[in-house]
């Protein structure tokens, strides 16, 4: 019988504790760790019982789930792995695991034709590729951009659960420029990924001002249970990013119409991969194949960086202040090579 979600959280927590050889773990320590993990991830205030954790240890030791974990008791009260390199997270998937995951992938593939699930194609392909690699020892046939050991990734799951359960958060955050960390009391709204970096968007408790905090700069996070969660009526998570490149935007920022020229060579790329979903083709020069495009976006650093990445293949025509900023920045960059 497959383990339920809470049991899997406990197994993972016990495994994490026993792999931490810098501490000696009693049964009560493991019980407290499991209670804390469930409280944080599942918003459950009930404490895990000693009998439950004892049962979990027996299950992990057995072949029931295929773990056969070498958990031993030493000095009559401390628990550890006899093999310090062991972890249930490194166990190969069982045949039943493969079948369950393959059924899930097959079900997700059936949804790809629906507009609501159009963004799942790469996720399903990623899952299918991972299954094939693990099961058949194949080489990968799909490669996705990733940043190994990216700071903040461990916060994704707890923050996701806090958002789902509408929990106010107390966050200690330190920007790259700051010498000390700052505390934020935040109503979390949505997680956003951009260029393999994750950001938390939320409204500050004091004034409902919108903040976006990169997860790799968050030092600690915990529920602020004494402060009831509050929605921000001005923040629409479904459409907030419609007029945005990247993540930098305030609630009251309005998009501007950006008109730009692209060379014949760069136009080929821009036509097949638009700079923004609002992109429109305005004019084609039959002599040299260059084109003029238009997008409607909020002006921010990420927008400028995208345009700069095309080098001399793009020129912003309007608004004038945007064109002037690009000209100044590109000149400063060119001056570095003088």
């Amino acid at each position: 019988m497959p383990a339920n979600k809470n049991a899997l959280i406990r197994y993972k927590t016990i495994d994490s504790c026993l792999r931490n050889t810098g501490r000696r773990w009693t049964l009560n320590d493991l019980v407290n760790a499991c209670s804390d993990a469930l409280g944080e991830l599942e918003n459950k205030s009930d404490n895990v019982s000693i009998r439950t954790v004892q049962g979990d240890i027996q299950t992990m030791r057995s072949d029931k789930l295929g773990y056969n974990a070498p958990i031993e008791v030493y000095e009559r009260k401390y628990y550890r792995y006899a093999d310090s390199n062991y972890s249930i997270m490194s166990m190969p998937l069982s045949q039943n695991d493969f079948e369950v995951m393959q059924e899930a992938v097959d079900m997700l593939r059936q949804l790809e034709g629906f507009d609501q699930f159009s963004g799942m194609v790469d996720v399903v392909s990623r899952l299918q590729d991972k299954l094939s690699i693990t099961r058949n020892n194949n080489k990968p046939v799909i490669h996705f951009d990733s940043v190994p050991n990216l700071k903040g990734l461990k916060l994704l799951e707890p923050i996701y659960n806090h958002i789902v359960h509408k929990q106010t958060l107390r966050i200690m955050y330190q920007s790259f420029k700051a010498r000390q960390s700052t505390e934020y009391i935040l109503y979390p709204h949505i997680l956003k990924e951009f260029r393999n970096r994750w950001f938390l968007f939320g409204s500050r408790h004091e004034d409902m001002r919108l903040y976006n905090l990169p997860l790799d700069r968050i030092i600690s996070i915990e529920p602020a249970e004494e402060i009831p969660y509050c929605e921000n009526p001005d923040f629409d998570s479904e459409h907030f990013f419609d007029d945005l490149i990247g993540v930098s935007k305030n609630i009251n920022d309005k998009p501007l119409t950006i008109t730009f020229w692209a060379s014949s060579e760069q136009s080929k790329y821009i036509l097949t991969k638009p700079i923004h979903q609002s992109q429109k083709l305005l004019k084609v020069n039959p002599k040299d194949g260059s084109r003029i495009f238009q997008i409607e976006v909020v002006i921010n650093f990420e927008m400028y960086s995208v345009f700069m990445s095309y080098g001399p293949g793009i020129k912003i025509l309007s608004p004038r202040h945007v064109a002037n900023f690009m000209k100044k920045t590109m000149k400063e960059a060119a001056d570095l090579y003088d």
Side-chain angles (χ1 to χ4, degrees), residues 8 14 20 32 37 49 61 114 128 161 164 184 191 194 221 241 256 258 280-281 296-297 299 315 333:
L8 291 175
I14 294 171
N20 179 9
N32 292 334
S49 68
R61 282 171 170 163
F114 293 89
Q128 185 65 65
N161 283 291
V164 170
Y184 289 91
L191 285 161
F194 180 66
I221 185 169
F241 302 100
L256 295 178
I258 311 296
K280 296 179 182 178
L281 174 61
E296 293 189 16
V297 295
I299 308 300
K315 177 184 178 181

Side-chain angles (χ1 to χ4, degrees), residues 23-36:
R23 175 176 171 178
R24 290 148 67 94
W25 297 93
T26 66
L27 183 60
N28 283 332
D29 292 333
L30 297 177
V31 168
N32 292 334
C34 290
S35 297
D36 292 342

